C-alpha cells in the first residue's frame, strides 16, 4: 500500500518507498553475489572428492533459491531478467556443445562407441515411454511431452563426462575414450531428437489446434532446413577465409572478429524468426559449423571461459528460485514413488543397455556396468528443460524438482566409478611405458621435436628427413618452439580463452613465422609420410621442462628430441651454451614419460639436401649394450630405411683375452644375474636388427674389440670425421667394463659417457651426435595419465 500511496503523490510515504526500493535492490545484488561466492567456494571444497562442478552448483542453487529473504527481494521484472539471462546463457552453451560435435558420424557405419550410445538410449526410452504416462508426470499428458521426457532421460552430458574423464586422467584408456565418444554420440542424438520433436510438437501452439500445428511445423521445418543447408555450405568458405587472413601466432584483426561473431549470430537466428526455439537453433547451427580453425577455437574458448565464470552461478540460482521447495509435495507417497521411478529409468535403462551391448562386443561385465553408470550422468541442458517445464506449466514444481534431484544423483557417483577403474587399472598396468624398442612398426612414430630458434631449422629438417621411414604409417611431428617467458613477452600475451593465449611479441612471432615457412615448405615438397603440427612451449626455464613433459603425455609422444644447449660457431666449435636450456634438457631427461634424444649439431644443419636415391649421408650407431643402446638401435632401424643414408653399426665387444678379462672382472662389482638378463636382451635385440637390416646388405656392420675404457676412448676418437651423424645411447648399461671410469671425465653428464666424448670441445667439428635415453621402467600407472586397457 505504501508504494501505491507514493505513486498517487502521498508525501509521507516517499521515504518508505525509497527505503523499500533500496532494500529491494540491495537484496538482489547480495543474492547474486552470494551465488557467485558460494558457487566457487563449494566447488573448491569438493575438488578433493573430484566432484564435477555441476554437483556443487545444483546444491548451492537449490539452497540459495529457497531462502525466504532472497525470494521476497525479487519482483516480476527482475525474474524476467533472470529468465532472459538463463535463456541467453543456454543459447551460448548449446552453440558450443554443437560446435564440439561431428554430425556426419551418424551417416557412417556404427562404431563401438555409437553402438554403446544407442544401447544405453533405447532401453531408457522404452522404459520411460512405458512408465511415465501411468504416473502423471505432466499437468496435461500428451504423446509429445512423453517423448520429450523419454528422450531427455536417455541422453548424456558429454560436456560433464569429457571434463571428468580428462581431469581424472583416464582419457587415454580404452574405457575413457569409449565413454567420451559414446557420451558425445548420446548427447548429440538425444538433442537432435528433441530438436526434431520441437517441430512436431511446438509449445507455441495448442495441441488441439491441428491446422495451426501443421502450419507451424512446416514453416519451422522449412526455415530450419534452409538454415542447416546455408550453415553447412557457406560456413566452411567463410571460416577458411577468416582463418587464412589470421594465421596462428598473430593477433586476430578486430574487423574479422566482429564479422565472425555477426556471422555466427546470423546463422543461429534464421529458424527462430519463424517460431523455432532459439536454443535448439543455436545447437543445430553449431553442429554444422566447422569445429577446426582459429575462429572456431576462439569462439569455443571464449564461451567456455565465460560459462563457468559468469553464467553458471546465475543459472543455478535461477534454477533454485523456480524450484520452490514450498510447493514440493514431500508428504505424498506418490511423489517419492514417481521420484524412484525416474531414478530407476535413468540408471537401470543405461546400465542394462550397456551390459547387453558389452556382452555382444566382448567387454567385461563390470566395465560394461560402469560404462552405463557414467553415461547416465546428465548436465546443464537437462536442468534447463526441468525448469522450463515449470515456466510453461508442462510439469508441476514437484515433478521438476524430482528431475533436478535425479540429475544431481546421476552425477554424484561418477568420480567413485572412475576411481574404481583407476584402482583396477593400476593392478593391470604394464611394467613399462611404450618405447621405440617395443613400438609396433605398423603404428606411426609420434615425435615431439623441440627447437630453440631459427638456427636449429636446417638440422630439424634433416632430422625429419632421415626419420620419416616408410610413408605408411609415417611419422607425426609436433614441432615445438622453446621460448623463455620474459617480462617483455608476458606483457604482450593476449588471452583468447581458458587455455589459449596468443603471443604478440614481434621477435617471437617473426621467429615462429620463419621456422614455420621453412619447415612447411620442406614438408610440402619432400615430406611424404610426414604430418606436421606446430606447438609452443612458452614458459620460464623453471617450468619449461614440465610443459614439455605434459605435452609429451597429452600427445602420446614416443620420442622427444631436444637441441643441445651449445650452438655451433662458423669454424665448427661450440659456444659456451645457454645454461637455461641446459637446465631444461637435464630436467626433461629425469621426468619425461617417453624416450628422449639430445641432438648435438656440429654440421648436421649444414648438410646439403639428403638424396633419396643415392646413399650419400654417412650415419653410424654405436652399440655397447643396455636399454639406452637398444633404444638407439631401434631408432637407427628407421634411419636405415632411408635410401640416401648409409648406416653402419659399430658394436663394441670385450677383448677375449681370458687372463685380462678375469682380472678386470675381479676388480669390478657386477651383479651377475642383472648382467646376464641385460646381455640376453641385448643379444635378442641385436639379432632382430641383424636379420632385418644387416643380413640383406643394406647396413654395414663392424666390431671393435677393446680391453678397457682407455681403449674405448681411443677407438671413439678414431671415428671422428668419418660420419655425418653418430647415434649412441646415453647410458643404461650394467656396469660395463668398457666404459667404467669414463664418467669421471664428463663435461656434460646429460650426454652420457659416450656422447660426451663424441661431443667434447676437442672432438671433430663436423660429426654431429644424437644421444638417446629410453625412459625408466615403472611398476604402476602414474596417476593414471597413461594409455591402459581394461575393457
Amino acid at each position: 500500500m505504501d508504494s501505491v500511496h507514493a505513486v498517487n503523490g502521498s508525501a509521507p510515504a516517499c521515504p518508505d518507498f525509497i527505503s523499500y526500493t533500496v532494500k529491494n535492490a540491495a537484496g538482489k545484488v547480495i543474492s547474486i553475489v552470494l551465488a557467485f561466492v558460494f558457487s566457487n567456494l563449494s566447488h573448491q571444497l569438493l575438488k578433493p572428492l573430484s566432484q564435477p562442478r555441476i554437483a556443487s552448483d545444483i546444491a548451492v542453487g537449490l539452497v540459495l533459491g529457497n531462502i525466504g529473504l532472497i525470494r521476497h527481494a525479487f519482483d516480476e521484472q527482475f525474474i524476467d531478467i533472470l529468465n532472459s539471462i538463463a535463456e541467453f546463457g543456454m543459447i551460448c552453451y548449446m552453440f558450443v556443445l554443437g560446435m564440439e560435435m561431428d554430425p556426419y558420424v551418424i551417416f557412417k557405419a556404427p562404431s563401438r562407441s555409437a553402438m554403446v550410445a544407442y544401447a544405453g538410449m533405447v532401453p531408457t526410452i522404452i522404459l520411460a515411454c512405458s512408465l511415465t504416462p501411468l504416473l502423471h508426470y505432466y499437468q496435461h499428458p500428451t504423446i509429445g511431452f512423453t517423448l520429450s521426457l523419454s528422450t531427455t532421460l536417455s541422453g548424456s552430458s558429454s560436456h560433464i563426462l569429457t571434463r571428468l574423464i580428462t581431469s581424472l586422467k583416464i582419457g587415454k584408456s580404452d574405457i575413457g575414450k569409449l565413454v567420451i565418444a559414446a557420451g558425445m554420440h548420446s548427447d548429440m542424438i538425444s538433442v537432435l531428437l528433441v530438436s526434431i520433436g520441437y517441430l512436431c510438437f511446438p509449445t507455441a501452439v495448442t495441441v488441439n489446434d491441428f491446422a495451426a500445428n501443421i502450419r507451424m511445423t512446416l514453416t519451422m521445418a522449412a526455415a530450419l532446413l534452409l538454415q542447416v543447408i546455408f550453415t553447412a555450405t557457406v560456413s566452411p568458405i567463410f571460416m577458411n577465409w577468416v582463418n587464412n587472413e589470421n594465421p596462428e601466432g598473430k593477433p586476430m584483426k578486430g574487423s574479422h572478429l566482429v564479422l565472425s561473431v555477426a556471422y555466427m549470430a546470423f546463422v543461429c537466428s534464421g529458424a527462430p524468426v519463424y517460431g523455432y526455439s532459439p536454443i535448439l537453433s543455436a545447437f543445430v547451427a553449431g553442429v554444422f559449423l566447422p569445429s577446426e580453425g582459429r575462429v572456431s577455437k576462439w569462439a569455443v574458448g571464449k564461451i567456455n571461459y565465460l560459462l563457468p565464470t559468469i553464467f553458471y552461478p546465475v543459472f543455478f540460482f535461477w534454477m533454485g528460485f523456480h524450484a520452490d521447495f514450498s510447493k514440493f509435495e514431500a508428504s505424498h507417497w506418490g511423489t517419492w514413488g514417481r521420484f524412484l521411478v525416474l531414478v530407476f529409468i535413468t540408471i537401470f535403462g543405461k546400465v542394462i543397455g550397456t551390459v547387453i551391448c558389452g556382452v555382444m562386443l566382448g567387454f567385461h561385465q563390470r566395465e560394461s556396468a560402469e560404462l552405463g553408470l557414467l553415461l547416465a550422468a546428465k548436465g546443464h541442458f537437462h536442468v534447463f528443460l526441468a525448469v522450463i517445464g515449470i515456466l510453461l506449466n508442462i510439469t508441476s514444481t514437484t515433478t521438476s524438482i524430482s528431475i533436478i534431484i535425479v540429475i544431481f544423483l546421476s552425477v554424484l557417483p561418477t568420480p567413485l566409478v572412475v576411481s574404481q577403474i583407476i584402482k583396477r587399472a593400476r593392478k593391470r598396468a604394464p611394467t613399462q611405458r611404450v618405447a621405440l624398442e617395443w613400438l609396433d612398426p605398423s603404428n606411426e612414430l609420434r615425435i615431439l621435436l623441440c627447437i630453440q630458434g631459427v638456427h636449429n631449422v636446417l638440422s630439424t629438417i634433416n632430422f625429419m628427413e632421415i626419420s620419416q621411414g616408410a610413408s605408411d604409417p609415417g611419422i607425426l611431428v609436433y614441432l615445438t618452439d622453446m621460448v623463455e617467458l620474459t617480462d617483455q613477452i608476458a606483457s604482450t600475451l593476449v588471452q583468447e580463452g581458458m587455455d589459449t593465449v596468443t603471443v604478440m611479441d614481434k621477435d617471437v612471432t617473426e621467429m615462429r613465422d620463419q621456422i614455420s615457412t621453412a619447415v612447411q615448405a620442406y614438408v610440402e615438397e619432400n615430406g611424404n609420410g610426414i604430418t606436421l603440427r606446430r606447438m609452443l612451449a612458452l614458459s620460464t626455464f623453471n617450468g619449461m621442462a614440465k610443459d614439455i613433459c605434459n605435452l609429451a603425455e597429452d600427445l602420446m609422444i614416443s620420442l622427444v628430441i631436444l637441441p643441445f644447449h651449445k650452438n655451433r660457431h662458423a669454424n665448427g666449435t661450440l659456444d659456451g651454451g645457454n645454461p637455461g636450456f641446459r637446465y631444461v634438457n637435464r630436467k626433461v631427461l629425469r621426468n619425461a614419460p617417453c624416450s628422449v634424444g639430445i641432438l648435438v649439431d656440429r654440421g648436421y644443419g649444414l648438410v646439403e639436401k639428403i638424396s633419396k636415391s643415392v646413399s650419400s649421408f654417412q650415419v653410424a650407431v654405436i652399440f655397447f649394450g643396455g636399454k639406452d643402446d637398444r633404444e638407439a638401435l631401434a631408432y637407427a632401424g628407421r634411419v636405415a630405411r632411408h635410401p640416401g643414408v648409409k648406416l653402419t653399426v659399430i658394436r663394441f665387444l670385450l677383448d677375449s683375452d681370458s687372463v685380462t678379462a678375469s682380472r678386470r672382472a675381479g676388480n669390478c662389482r657386477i651383479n651377475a644375474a642383472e648382467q646376464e638378463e641385460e646381455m640376453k636382451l641385448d643379444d635378442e635385440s641385436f639379432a632382430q636388427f641383424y636379420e632385418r637390416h644387416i643380413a640383406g646388405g643394406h647396413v654395414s656392420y663392424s666390431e671393435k674389440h677393446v680391453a678397457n675404457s682407455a681403449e674405448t676412448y681411443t677407438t671413439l676418437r678414431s671415428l671422428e670425421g668419418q660420419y655425418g651423424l653418430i647415434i649412441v645411447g646415453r647410458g643404461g648399461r650394467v656396469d660395463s667394463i668398457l666404459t667404467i671410469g669414463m664418467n669421471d671425465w664428463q663435461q656434460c653428464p646429460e650426454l652420457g659417457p659416450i656422447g660426451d666424448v663424441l661431443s667434447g670441445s676437442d672432438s671433430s667439428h663436423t660429426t654431429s651426435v644424437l644421444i638417446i635415453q629410453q625412459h625408466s621402467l615403472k611398476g604402476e600407472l602414474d596417476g593414471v595419465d597413461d594409455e591402459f586397457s581394461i575393457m
Side-chain angles (χ1 to χ4, degrees):
M1 291 298 293
D2 289 340
S3 60
V4 174
H5 290 310
V7 171
N8 291 333
S10 178
C14 284
D16 293 340
F17 172 72
I18 295 173
S19 174
Y20 173 79
T21 304
V22 170
K23 288 180 179 178
N24 237 9
K28 296 169 187 175
V29 173
I30 291 172
S31 301
I32 300 301
V33 170
L34 286 176
F36 277 91
V37 171
F38 283 107
S39 175
N40 289 288
L41 181 61
S42 60
H43 176 58
Q44 295 301 321
L45 291 175
L46 290 178
K47 253 189 176 181
L49 301 177
S50 302
Q51 282 293 335
R53 180 171 189 136
I54 189 174
S56 57
D57 283 345
I58 290 177
V60 170
L62 288 175
V63 172
L64 287 180
N66 283 277
I67 295 175
L69 291 175
I70 292 177
R71 296 185 65 85
H72 294 152
F74 290 175
D75 52 25
E76 289 296 327
Q77 184 180 5
F78 191 74
I79 293 171
D80 289 340
I81 294 173
L82 277 181
N83 292 341
S84 299
I85 292 174
E87 184 174 7
F88 177 75
M90 191 50 58
I91 288 172
C92 296
Y93 173 85
M94 295 300 288
F95 178 69
V96 168
L97 185 66
M99 287 192 72
E100 294 174 342
M101 295 178 175
D102 178 12
Y104 303 105
V105 297
I106 61 179
F107 302 111
K108 301 176 183 177
S111 60
R112 287 200 319 169
S113 58
M115 294 172 67
V116 169
Y118 296 140
M121 293 180 68
V122 172
T124 308
I125 292 175
I126 293 174
L127 283 173
C129 288
S130 303
L131 298 176
T132 54
L134 305 176
L135 297 173
H136 307 293
Y137 284 96
Y138 314 109
Q139 303 281 41
H140 308 287
T142 65
I143 186 172
F145 298 145
T146 300
L147 291 174
S148 177
L149 178 61
S150 302
T151 306
T152 302
L153 293 176
S154 70
S156 305
S157 176
S158 59
H159 186 76
I160 300 295
L161 289 175
T162 302
R163 286 294 180 94
L164 177 71
I165 297 299
T166 305
S167 64
L168 294 180
K169 300 184 178 182
I170 65 165
K172 297 174 188 175
S173 66
D174 53 357
I175 192 171
K177 294 174 184 176
L178 193 60
V179 168
I180 291 174
M184 192 74 72
H185 207 91
S186 176
D187 206 2
M188 180 175 66
I189 295 298
S190 63
V191 179
L192 284 176
L193 288 175
V194 171
S195 302
I196 296 170
Y198 191 90
L199 296 174
C200 303
F201 307 100
T203 56
V205 180
T206 59
V207 179
N208 296 328
D209 193 351
F210 184 74
N213 201 341
I214 293 295
R215 206 163 41 245
M216 177 69 79
T217 296
L218 293 177
T219 303
M220 290 191 300
L224 187 63
L225 181 62
L226 287 175
Q227 176 180 302
V228 168
I229 294 173
F230 180 85
T231 305
T233 54
V234 177
S235 297
I237 300 171
F238 174 77
M239 293 295 205
N240 287 337
W241 173 73
V242 177
N243 290 330
N244 292 334
E245 292 292 315
N246 297 272
E248 293 284 351
K250 292 186 176 181
M252 290 189 68
K253 299 174 184 176
S255 57
H256 289 167
L257 277 178
V258 173
L259 196 61
S260 300
V261 172
Y263 177 80
M264 292 177 186
F266 173 73
V267 297
C268 291
S269 59
V273 173
Y274 297 93
Y276 191 69
S277 166
I279 294 171
L280 297 177
S281 175
F283 173 78
V284 174
V287 165
F288 289 95
L289 276 170
S291 58
E292 296 297 324
R294 191 174 179 191
V295 175
S296 299
K297 291 177 181 177
W298 174 85
V300 171
K302 285 293 185 185
I303 295 174
N304 278 336
Y305 175 76
L306 293 174
L307 286 175
T309 306
I310 298 176
F311 173 62
Y312 288 163
V314 178
F315 173 76
F316 285 101
F317 178 78
W318 168 81
M319 171 212 71
F321 180 85
H322 287 292
D324 188 355
F325 280 158
S326 65
K327 299 179 182 178
F328 184 69
E329 300 170 346
S331 59
H332 294 180
W333 287 104
T335 298
W336 298 108
R338 286 190 289 271
F339 169 74
L340 292 175
V341 169
L342 282 177
V343 174
F344 172 78
I345 292 171
T346 304
I347 304 297
F348 184 76
K350 287 285 186 183
V351 172
I352 195 66
T354 53
V355 168
I356 293 172
C357 182
V359 172
M360 298 170 60
L361 296 176
F363 297 162
H364 298 131
Q365 189 171 347
R366 182 170 180 176
E367 279 71 31
S368 299
E370 290 172 337
L371 195 58
L373 286 172
L374 291 173
L375 291 177
K378 305 293 185 284
H380 302 80
F381 180 59
H382 306 93
V383 172
F384 180 80
L385 291 179
V387 178
I388 286 297
I390 300 175
L391 298 181
L392 297 180
N393 201 31
I394 297 172
T395 60
S396 65
T397 303
T398 298
T399 299
S400 291
I401 291 176
S402 298
I403 294 173
I404 292 171
I405 296 174
V406 168
I407 294 170
F408 176 75
L409 294 177
S410 72
V411 173
L412 276 184
T414 51
L416 180 61
V417 173
V418 174
S419 68
Q420 291 300 311
I421 292 172
I422 294 174
K423 186 177 179 180
R424 291 198 307 284
R426 283 201 173 106
K427 294 179 181 178
R428 306 179 192 180
T431 55
Q432 73 180 72
R433 300 168 184 164
V434 176
L436 296 180
E437 184 181 357
W438 311 109
L439 184 67
D440 186 345
S442 63
N443 293 337
E444 68 178 356
L445 175 61
R446 304 168 74 95
I447 300 176
L448 188 70
L449 185 50
C450 298
I451 185 168
Q452 295 171 3
V454 178
H455 59 278
N456 296 138
V457 168
L458 294 178
S459 60
T460 295
I461 290 175
N462 284 333
F463 178 84
M464 292 167 62
E465 173 65 34
I466 68 171
S467 304
Q468 61 183 300
S471 59
D472 185 20
I475 61 174
L476 176 56
V477 177
Y478 290 92
L479 187 61
T480 305
D481 298 295
M482 302 169 69
V483 178
E484 181 190 7
L485 181 61
T486 61
D487 292 338
Q488 178 183 344
I489 295 176
S491 65
T492 67
L493 298 180
V494 176
Q495 186 83 27
E496 291 192 353
M498 290 183 69
D499 306 311
T500 308
V501 293
T502 298
V503 184
M504 298 179 64
D505 183 80
K506 184 179 179 181
D507 293 338
V508 175
T509 53
E510 287 181 356
M511 179 196 75
R512 298 199 77 207
D513 286 345
Q514 291 180 44
I515 293 172
S516 297
T517 301
V519 178
Q520 192 62 49
Y522 157 75
V523 171
E524 290 174 359
E525 183 179 354
N526 302 294
N528 185 27
I530 299 177
T531 303
L532 182 67
R533 299 280 186 270
R534 292 289 276 123
M535 305 297 290
L536 174 64
L538 177 64
S539 179
T540 62
F541 285 133
N542 283 332
M544 190 176 293
K546 183 178 180 181
D547 288 348
I548 292 172
C549 292
N550 288 340
L551 279 175
E553 281 190 322
D554 294 340
L555 301 174
M556 293 179 284
I557 298 298
S558 298
L559 178 64
V560 173
I561 297 295
L562 302 166
F564 191 41
H565 69 281
K566 296 182 180 182
N567 298 316
R568 182 181 184 275
H569 288 305
N571 61 2
T573 60
L574 298 176
D575 63 17
N578 186 321
F581 284 121
R582 183 182 188 185
Y583 173 79
V584 172
N585 289 355
R586 297 175 77 165
K587 203 167 180 182
V588 171
L589 285 168
R590 287 197 301 269
N591 301 308
C594 59
S595 297
V596 180
I598 295 181
L599 179 59
V600 182
D601 180 12
R602 306 197 72 164
Y604 190 37
L606 301 178
V607 176
E608 295 293 332
K609 180 179 177 182
I610 299 175
S611 172
K612 291 184 180 290
S613 57
V614 180
S615 299
S616 57
F617 187 57
Q618 298 288 332
V619 179
V621 56
I622 295 176
F623 189 86
F624 285 86
K627 64 186 184 68
D628 290 352
D629 282 7
R630 294 195 298 270
E631 195 75 349
L633 194 66
Y635 171 73
R638 296 190 67 89
V639 176
R641 300 191 189 107
H642 195 287
V645 172
K646 179 60 178 176
L647 180 66
T648 301
V649 178
I650 304 173
R651 187 171 190 181
F652 279 70
L653 297 169
L654 186 63
D655 195 309
S656 58
D657 186 329
S658 58
V659 177
T660 307
S662 62
R663 184 170 61 248
R664 283 193 303 269
N667 294 332
C668 300
R669 296 180 180 178
I670 300 175
N671 186 318
E674 188 178 358
Q675 186 183 42
E676 185 177 345
E677 180 65 24
E678 281 294 308
M679 289 177 63
K680 181 181 177 181
L681 292 173
D682 291 342
D683 291 340
E684 290 176 356
S685 178
F686 202 89
Q688 291 178 4
F689 185 91
Y690 191 98
E691 184 179 347
R692 289 179 185 175
H693 305 288
I694 299 175
H698 302 298
V699 175
S700 301
Y701 173 63
S702 67
E703 294 180 352
K704 302 292 183 181
H705 293 266
V706 293
N708 50 43
S709 55
E711 292 184 12
T712 298
Y713 177 82
T714 303
T715 306
L716 290 173
R717 293 299 300 270
S718 69
L719 302 177
E720 295 176 1
Q722 298 183 36
Y723 304 98
L725 176 68
I726 297 180
I727 305 169
V728 299
R730 178 172 179 255
R733 305 172 186 94
V734 185
D735 291 334
S736 174
I737 297 170
L738 304 182
T739 60
I740 195 166
M742 293 179 66
N743 292 338
D744 300 335
W745 311 337
Q746 292 182 92
Q747 297 175 356
C748 297
E750 64 269 24
L751 303 181
I754 308 302
D756 187 72
V757 169
L758 296 171
S759 308
S761 56
D762 55 348
S763 299
S764 170
H765 296 169
T766 59
T767 300
S768 300
V769 186
L770 176 63
I771 301 95
I772 295 181
Q773 171 190 277
Q774 189 182 81
H775 56 79
S776 301
L777 298 180
K778 58 157 186 177
E780 63 176 25
L781 295 169
D782 297 336
V784 179
D785 202 7
D786 299 280
E787 289 186 275
F788 64 90
S789 176
I790 65 171
M791 297 296 288

